[in-house]
Amino acid sequence: MPNALITGITGQDGSYLAELLLEKGYRVFGMVRRASTFNDSRIKHLLGRIELIDADLLDQLSLIQALRQSQATEVYNLAAMSFVATSFQQPVATGEYTALSVARMLEAIRLAGAPIRFYQASTSEMFGKVQTVPQNEQTPFYPRSPYGVAKLYGHWITTNFRESYDLFACSGILFNHESPRRGVEFVTRKISLAVARIALGLQEKLALGNLEAKRDWGFAGDYVEAMWLMLQQKRPQDYVIATGETHSVREFAQAAFAAAGISDWEHYVEINPQYLRPAEVDHLIGDASRARRELGWAPRVSFVELVRMMVESDLAAVRREQQILATDHAADAQRQAAPSLSDRGTPV
């Protein structure tokens, strides 16, 4: 049974990857940072099947200990400060968690002296102000956010360790990938949740920024399979993982409202300059030809299916919340209506 260590296991990608590896017979360890509260919502159904290790990306010794404890033969480094908008507000913290943490993990693997295969989660945000369309493994990088810059450091330090120390280390340059497990701070999940609430009469408007920004959106469950495939190859290489289709935020919103049965979607959308980036990435579309050819990988879930999946999941979640609230209100009303002992008089 191979052992795998996943950083960022509580995130969207980490939870899907853990499911995949368990299905393939792995013993799965997840690295988590100790805090006063622990968000296990995405992996709650996996607790008992995965093993969690307390460690911190900023603490070199804890990473070394995590490798020793897990005896991992594969390490998937998915953890990062991954919200682009926040990276503008916290550029230094983004550099610590998203850039330097990669060097710390690679150094821990080098010092371990064991045949550990390493996967680094790179991103299409490194292309930023795109130099060619579509983007592939040879496209020059031009990041347009502190997040993209930090990811670029992680990408190149992975290449450097691979070439300097003969490590099996590779990067997946993943384009946008979404799912019902996406955080609500990301525009796709913000849209799907707002559409669900609007459809159920709980919200009136959806505030967005740049409707014309275009992305290559795929399903996270498809993309984690590519991560695993990269570490099964004879030699390490970097791969672009993408659908090869581009859609605007406008198209995503339109498809989401359509999935909820709402045709006049523009009536519910308003533009708020607050959500515009200081430097926008306008047109990302990936060329995953190498991954298709060498990994045998291809996306299975279409853009429309992905949007529908997210909206239906949020509709179900909001309905459950409504039912719970209705049950609680009914219980409160029943308690208030019940006569107290003083109302009943003194028994004879």
Side-chain angles (χ1 to χ4, degrees):
M1 180 185 294
N3 290 7
L5 175 64
I6 303 173
T7 74
I9 196 170
T10 60
Q12 170 190 255
D13 292 6
S15 64
Y16 281 112
L17 179 60
E19 289 175 349
L20 176 71
L21 296 179
L22 288 170
E23 290 172 4
K24 293 184 178 298
Y26 280 67
R27 185 179 179 187
V28 177
F29 293 83
M31 204 184 86
V32 294
R33 184 163 60 94
R34 180 169 292 280
S36 56
T37 59
F38 174 50
N39 180 13
D40 63 356
S41 60
R42 296 184 183 93
I43 60 169
K44 189 171 291 185
H45 63 297
L46 300 177
L47 297 178
R49 300 176 63 199
I50 59 176
E51 301 171 60
L52 301 180
I53 298 174
D54 290 329
D56 195 311
L57 291 171
L58 303 188
D59 184 357
Q60 181 84 58
L61 180 58
S62 72
L63 299 182
I64 295 172
Q65 292 172 334
L67 290 176
R68 288 176 179 171
Q69 184 176 339
S70 65
Q71 293 294 298
T73 54
E74 296 177 5
V75 173
Y76 296 86
N77 188 42
L78 311 184
M81 203 301 294
S82 59
F83 190 39
V84 175
T86 300
S87 77
F88 283 100
Q89 301 166 5
Q90 301 177 17
V92 176
T94 300
E96 286 286 350
Y97 277 103
T98 306
L100 294 179
S101 63
V102 185
R104 293 187 187 97
M105 180 60 83
L106 284 165
E107 183 67 0
I109 290 173
R110 185 182 72 84
L111 293 173
I116 299 172
R117 297 191 168 203
F118 175 79
Y119 170 85
Q120 166 60 15
S122 290
T123 171
S124 59
E125 288 285 333
M126 298 187 308
F127 293 122
K129 189 175 182 180
V130 297
Q131 305 300 292
T132 61
V133 178
Q135 297 87 49
N136 60 27
E137 292 83 1
Q138 306 306 316
T139 302
F141 298 118
Y142 195 142
R144 297 271 281 170
S145 67
Y147 170 72
V149 172
K151 277 292 189 179
L152 187 54
Y153 175 91
H155 179 83
W156 280 121
I157 199 67
T158 299
T159 301
N160 184 262
F161 267 70
R162 177 172 70 216
E163 296 177 351
S164 300
Y165 304 112
D166 197 29
L167 295 183
F168 193 108
C170 59
S171 295
I173 307 173
L174 273 56
F175 280 63
N176 294 65
H177 46 288
E178 317 298 320
S179 75
R181 299 179 191 174
R182 190 53 133 165
V184 294
E185 67 272 20
F186 291 86
V187 68
T188 51
R189 182 72 195 292
K190 176 183 178 179
I191 291 172
S192 65
L193 180 58
V195 167
R197 291 178 56 81
I198 289 170
L200 296 175
L202 300 177
Q203 186 171 325
E204 294 183 357
K205 295 289 183 179
L206 165 61
L208 294 172
N210 182 9
L211 293 182
E212 307 313 320
K214 294 182 178 180
R215 297 291 185 272
D216 184 329
W217 277 300
F219 172 51
D222 289 342
Y223 283 39
V224 298
E225 182 182 12
M227 300 177 188
W228 176 77
L229 286 169
M230 288 181 211
L231 295 196
Q232 312 315 308
Q233 304 307 301
K234 290 183 179 180
R235 63 188 183 94
Q237 281 200 101
D238 303 329
Y239 292 89
V240 163
I241 304 299
T243 69
E245 297 179 6
T246 186
H247 299 275
S248 66
V249 174
R250 178 186 299 276
E251 289 176 86
F252 197 103
Q254 185 175 6
F257 278 101
I262 300 173
S263 58
D264 57 338
W265 67 276
E266 291 175 305
H267 172 74
Y268 299 97
V269 174
E270 58 185 20
I271 305 302
N272 188 335
Q274 172 187 345
Y275 299 117
L276 296 175
R277 293 184 184 182
E280 182 58 87
V281 175
D282 294 311
H283 191 187
L284 290 174
I285 177 170
D287 175 8
S289 298
R290 176 189 282 182
R292 291 174 183 269
R293 183 176 62 253
E294 298 181 8
L295 304 179
W297 178 87
R300 298 187 182 93
V301 178
S302 71
F303 173 74
V304 172
E305 290 170 336
L306 170 64
V307 177
R308 183 185 304 117
M309 178 195 306
M310 295 178 67
V311 172
E312 289 178 352
S313 174
D314 278 327
L315 280 168
V318 174
R319 288 191 182 107
R320 285 194 299 271
E321 291 176 5
Q322 286 182 306
Q323 290 172 354
I324 292 171
L325 287 173
T327 301
D328 290 344
H329 288 158
D332 288 342
Q334 189 174 7
R335 283 193 294 270
Q336 292 174 4
S340 63
L341 286 176
S342 58
D343 294 333
R344 296 171 185 168
T346 304
V348 178

